[in-house]
Amino acid sequence: MKSIELFAGAGGLALGTESAGFKHEAVVELNRNACDTIKRNTELGSIDWPLFPGDVAEFGFSHYRDVDLVSGGPPCQPFSIGGKHRGHTDKRNLFPEVVRAVRETQPRAVLVENVKGLLRPGFAKFFEYVLLQISYPDLVQKDGEDWVEHLSRLEQYQTNGSKDGLYYKPVFRCLNAADYGVPQKRERVFIVAFRGDVITEPGFSFPNPTHSKAELLRSKWITGEYWDRHKVATHSRPKRPANVQCLLSLGDDVQPWRTVRDAISDLPDPRKPNDVANHKHNPGARVYGGHTGSPLDEPAKTLKAGDHGVPGGENMLAHPNGTVRYFSVRESARLQTFPDDYVFEGSWTETMRQLGNAVAVNVASQVASRIRETLERQPMERRQHVGGK
């Protein structure tokens, strides 16, 4: 199945959709360092993507009317808790470019990822606007019409009876990456939309969690399997909490949350010489108010890019003895479930920014796999484009 990837960044979402069976016809990214990362991995043979380095607003989609999926994570700073919260007034709000890509390519499915902050009450009206624009991409904003007026017109169209022409059926959910095997607590909003003529039985639903906090607690404090697996001596283990006495297993299909230790324990200490790509120590980590690092035996805190540099608290490892150090780039890539043969270009700050902005690969893969499965269930005679109006 063919796809187009917008706002590709370092390639997390693109890797996930590719692993789910989509072949990228175009990968669009503006940031120079992220483009260097994609180019380097292409040279190494890790990927084979047709990269278009530049502004998505200048990209033409007219030659891509046969794609099955348009996916992308528009810049999240307008909606991020760590950003300035400008939302629709922020020049980095590029949701309109997603809608343009949908309008011009008419894919069978759409996948959009963004920060949890998009669901904040203050953005509720704008989030409705985003969903309605995806639903009716042909109903474009008129000259002189502000976004609130455009929203009203979309609402009227949504409620005025039968529809014709190009339309989509969107659903959304906030997913925690830790629930899908990612060693990081990372909540992100995923919007999935199918073109109106895509009819399958049953329809699409988001994947069920494969990992849980309860199972991690159980493996630590009921069975002890977690500590045994990592060869942590009894006297070196933390004190057992009092509130886990009655934990029950959730079943064989649900595994424990993965921790930082699970993700990086087989890597050498980055403070010592090693031959692992992107695995060098960056000095200067320190603890201060609100910045205490990620505990070794929990999923990491959300890696963040930061509006002004990299926030150290989210990108530090906190050892059980109280010492801290910055994660190496390779360790951060493990926390985002990038494969080890995928390398990153740029300074430590720039590569950490790429990783902080990235979509966790495992989550992207699982959501995209459900999209592919849904599309594959559509009868062949209906796998065709509908006309726009």
Side-chain angles (χ1 to χ4, degrees):
M1 292 189 178
K2 299 178 180 180
S3 63
I4 291 178
E5 175 77 17
L6 311 179
F7 321 106
L13 182 58
L15 283 169
T17 54
E18 182 177 68
S19 71
F22 291 94
K23 178 177 174 54
H24 302 308
E25 299 293 299
V27 172
V28 186
E29 173 53 41
L30 176 63
N31 180 268
R32 178 179 60 83
N33 291 286
C35 287
D36 287 345
T37 290
I38 292 174
K39 291 175 183 176
R40 180 58 177 153
N41 285 281
T42 301
E43 292 169 358
L44 293 172
S46 303
I47 56 175
D48 183 18
W49 300 342
L51 173 66
F52 293 83
D55 190 342
V56 69
E58 299 173 0
F59 186 82
F61 297 99
S62 58
H63 299 298
Y64 301 96
R65 284 290 295 271
D66 61 344
V67 297
D68 297 285
L69 176 70
V70 166
S71 59
C76 64
Q77 288 85 353
F79 314 100
S80 172
I81 293 174
K84 294 184 174 67
H85 311 169
R86 291 173 179 160
H88 62 86
T89 65
D90 196 309
K91 292 181 179 179
R92 294 169 297 181
N93 168 32
L94 294 176
F95 272 106
E97 293 303 321
V98 175
V99 177
R100 181 175 71 88
V102 173
R103 180 168 60 251
E104 294 183 7
T105 64
Q106 300 186 17
R108 292 200 290 152
V110 181
L111 170 60
V112 178
E113 181 267 359
N114 217 275
V115 291
K116 180 183 178 182
L118 188 61
L119 299 182
R120 290 204 302 272
F123 286 136
K125 191 173 183 180
F126 184 72
F127 186 58
E128 179 194 2
Y129 182 47
V130 168
L131 295 179
L132 284 174
Q133 285 182 94
I134 293 173
S135 298
Y136 308 109
D138 276 349
L139 204 65
V140 299
Q141 192 170 4
K142 298 178 180 178
D143 290 340
E145 183 180 48
D146 64 30
W147 78 270
V148 177
E149 293 170 331
H150 189 207
L151 169 61
S152 295
R153 190 156 56 89
L154 285 163
E155 289 174 332
Q156 291 169 3
Y157 186 76
Q158 166 85 348
T159 58
N160 71 358
S162 62
K163 306 292 179 289
D164 56 8
L166 181 65
Y167 73 96
Y168 285 80
K169 299 169 287 187
V171 292
F172 68 91
R173 191 183 294 185
C174 185
L175 304 179
N176 185 347
D179 292 337
Y180 296 89
V182 176
Q184 182 186 172
K185 299 171 185 175
R186 188 178 188 87
E187 293 183 294
R188 291 293 184 266
V189 176
F190 287 83
I191 302 171
V192 173
F194 289 91
R195 204 174 62 206
D197 67 319
V198 174
I199 299 175
T200 66
E201 189 65 40
F204 171 86
S205 63
F206 284 96
N208 293 325
T210 56
H211 295 67
S212 78
K213 178 180 179 179
E215 285 298 310
L216 175 60
L217 292 172
R218 186 173 182 275
S219 71
K220 286 180 178 179
W221 310 115
I222 304 299
T223 69
E225 183 275 335
Y226 175 83
W227 307 113
D228 294 341
R229 173 160 43 88
H230 288 294
K231 297 180 172 59
V232 178
T234 302
H235 67 271
S236 298
R237 302 175 185 180
K239 184 179 179 181
R240 173 174 164 161
N243 60 347
V244 296
Q245 303 293 332
C246 298
L247 277 176
L248 299 176
S249 174
L250 298 181
D252 294 337
D253 293 337
V254 181
Q255 302 175 54
W257 270 359
R258 296 184 64 226
T259 69
V260 174
R261 193 192 294 265
D262 287 328
I264 71 172
S265 62
D266 63 329
L267 289 172
D269 189 328
R271 293 168 291 192
K272 299 177 181 179
N274 67 82
D275 296 326
V276 179
N278 298 130
H279 192 51
K280 300 297 183 288
H281 176 56
N282 189 61
R286 63 186 180 89
V287 173
Y288 55 97
H291 294 72
T292 56
S294 294
L296 182 63
D297 294 306
E298 298 289 336
K301 297 178 181 178
T302 304
L303 294 182
K304 295 180 180 177
D307 217 28
H308 301 288
V310 178
E314 289 84 358
N315 298 324
M316 292 192 307
L317 168 61
H319 289 287
N321 64 6
T323 62
V324 297
R325 66 167 173 82
Y326 285 123
F327 287 121
S328 73
V329 172
R330 179 52 51 200
E331 289 169 331
S332 299
R334 287 270 186 100
L335 298 177
Q336 286 281 55
T337 55
F338 278 85
D340 281 350
D341 64 354
Y342 200 86
V343 300
F344 296 83
E345 293 292 303
S347 66
W348 182 85
T349 298
E350 291 302 325
T351 49
M352 292 297 284
R353 182 174 286 116
Q354 291 176 51
L355 284 160
N357 282 327
V359 181
V361 178
N362 279 12
V363 181
S365 178
Q366 292 183 57
V367 175
S369 292
R370 295 300 289 267
I371 293 173
R372 178 183 55 77
E373 291 165 4
T374 302
L375 293 176
E376 287 177 341
R377 290 195 300 268
Q378 184 183 20
M380 287 299 298
E381 64 271 15
R382 295 194 61 85
R383 297 185 186 185
Q384 57 193 17
H385 291 291
V386 293
K389 58 173 247 179

